[in-house]
Amino acid sequence: MSELSINFSISFKEPQAHYVEIEMVIPQLDGEYIDLKMPVWTPGSYLVREYSRNIENLYATSAGQALQCNKVSKNTWRVAKGNPTEAVKVSYRIYGFEASVRTNFIDADHAFLSPAATFLYVDGLLHYPSQVTVHLPEQWKNISTGLPKLDTTSNTFYADNFDILFDSPLEIGNQDIWYFEAANVKHEFAMVGGGSYNKQQLTSDLTKIIEQETALWGENPNSNYVFITHNYNAGSGGLEHLNSTVLATSRNSYKIEASYKNFLSLAAHEYFHLWNVKRLRPKALGPFNYAEENYTVGLWIMEGFTAYYDNLIIRRCGFFSVKEYLNALANEFNLVYNRAGHRIQSAAQASFDTWIKQYRPDENSINSSISYYNKGAMLAAALDTQIIASTHGKKRLDDVLREAYNTFYKKESRGFEEDEFRQLAEAITGVELGEIFDAAHTTVELDYNSFFNKVGYELVDLNSENRELSLGIRLVEQDGRLFVKNVERSSGAWDAGLNVNDELIAINGNRLDSSGKELDFALVQGQYEEIVDLLIARDGRTRVIYAPLRYCGKQLWNIQPKLDATEEEKVLGKIWLSVVES
């Protein structure tokens, strides 16, 4: 053990009760006290999650003597040092029973430890190396993590600093593990919770994805990588790490073609983050302040570009047909344009406000916000097609990302400002891209067909002539009763004052059944701007609301071949959407 290393020991006395025991040994340090802090968030998931709320029974000793230990803020414990020549030992328990890719989950079957939610750090000493020793219960045999082992026979792992430690989750239990090599990198796949997966098929398909992405970026920065996948009855999600990822899916998704392709897209997304965000990043995203929010307007580039490339990589591997890929891309437009919030919040604003909006949606989110994932993917598609068309297929967005990675990460070892990224993109391609970058900071929409048309495609709203009537509400059924779940901005229900959580009882004097058939009938038989009377119950009291019927604003976007495309445009479209041999 290095004298300057901060060392942790993990044990499980009561995993069935969802607890892990942590022992932390801090070397002799100068000063009268040590401030121990718990991160409030984890990189890649931009929400203050207050991990310290799960800590119990924290106490400290030195040379066998108890030390005074006081909590001085929500996530800080101040330890008054004893003998300054002795190390300080800190012990605490953590409760973990939240099934997600970013939180601790411990039960009798396994433990998933998100390190930011598990390990304290000494204030001011994030640069210190650390070691983690795992004491396996008798019933568990495997440990999966991106951390390297101290030696081949021990269960002790090490990190050169706490940024690496906090970016290296641990899966501990009896997960199904296998190994494969792709892009000259050793990969481990750890499956938790069973499932209908085919190891050979998964290995083959992931190898194609890994080699496609490595070719795009020009190198693979790792010598090893770990896929940790949690299989649930129903679940989804992923979180990227420096040399690993945690994925969540349904254990039956592998046998359903569409679901399996979605899982491959998820894996492609998280693996793409090896470069885009973990290494190529805005200045605000590292080094991190783990005690508070880290603000950036650049998540539309980091997450949005990654959301564009995940499905594009699946197309390049040949897993998606052209139509399947275009449907996936069109879905980004549907998700944005069917939220009135796209007129309220720009991609850059969504990035900045991720800490208070992205992970905390409410009933009005559709009216006030968008996702920088979806909007960023739209802007990335505009950039890619514009570059392809303007350079006659000689350049594309791939070239921009590769050069940005080489410049900002490899050569200059720093994060970038958005203006620098734009300037580099224009210098590499020789294409003026200001219109698209500027669009990330406004709610004024681009004419996306000015980009798609140049590569032989067009974006069409198949519902543009739709004259179906609507109140602009979404209903949910609870115990045979209908309640308002959402009210769309500027709809008839919005203007009339219908509220979320109102119970809808009758329309035009006709009682509604649990399927809402009478409402459907009124919409089919009604006229534009006709006033209907709605009997509702609000907080237990009935009243009548008079609301106008209006045309349904739901859009259905499709990306399809342009009928009058020139031969050059068709060639550029093939470049854009071609399968690439790895």
Side-chain angles (χ1 to χ4, degrees), residues 99-101 229-238 247-254 259 262-263 266:
S100 83
V101 297
T229 299
H230 293 147
N231 295 297
Y232 301 106
N233 183 47
S236 62
L247 309 174
T249 190
S250 165
R251 61 176 57 94
N252 295 318
S253 63
Y254 307 97
S259 298
N262 287 338
F263 177 75
L266 172 64

Side-chain angles (χ1 to χ4, degrees), residues 36-48:
L36 303 176
K37 302 182 78 70
M38 172 68 81
V40 302
W41 68 287
T42 187
S45 183
Y46 308 102
L47 176 68
V48 171

Side-chain angles (χ1 to χ4, degrees), residues 491-547:
S491 66
W494 175 282
D495 289 346
L498 201 63
N499 290 353
V500 170
N501 297 326
D502 285 348
E503 180 188 357
L504 195 55
I505 301 172
I507 183 168
N508 292 336
N510 296 306
R511 174 86 185 191
L512 294 177
D513 62 12
S514 60
S515 65
K517 291 179 181 177
E518 292 298 332
L519 174 58
D520 294 339
F521 179 80
L523 295 176
V524 170
Q525 297 297 315
Q527 301 294 320
Y528 178 70
E529 290 293 352
E530 176 186 339
I531 304 298
V532 297
D533 59 273
L534 306 170
L535 178 63
I536 68 164
R538 180 178 296 169
D539 192 31
R541 304 183 69 180
T542 60
R543 67 176 67 186
V544 176
I545 298 285
Y546 299 95

Side-chain angles (χ1 to χ4, degrees), residues 252-283:
N252 295 318
S253 63
Y254 307 97
K255 293 292 187 181
I256 304 168
E257 183 179 3
S259 298
Y260 179 62
K261 289 179 181 180
N262 287 338
F263 177 75
L264 293 179
S265 179
L266 172 64
H269 182 103
E270 303 306 337
Y271 203 87
F272 200 84
H273 276 313
L274 278 187
W275 300 272
N276 199 40
V277 91
K278 283 303 168 187
R279 289 164 176 87
L280 174 63
R281 58 173 178 77
K283 283 185 176 178

Side-chain angles (χ1 to χ4, degrees), residues 168-179:
S168 304
L170 295 100
E171 175 64 37
I172 306 168
N174 296 311
Q175 60 271 25
D176 185 14
I177 295 175
W178 71 95
Y179 301 91

Side-chain angles (χ1 to χ4, degrees), residues 24 35-37 39 119-123 126 162 166 290-291:
M24 178 183 189
D35 278 350
L36 303 176
K37 302 182 78 70
F119 300 116
L120 295 167
Y121 66 94
V122 178
D123 193 21
L126 286 170
F162 273 74
F166 289 148
Y290 295 99

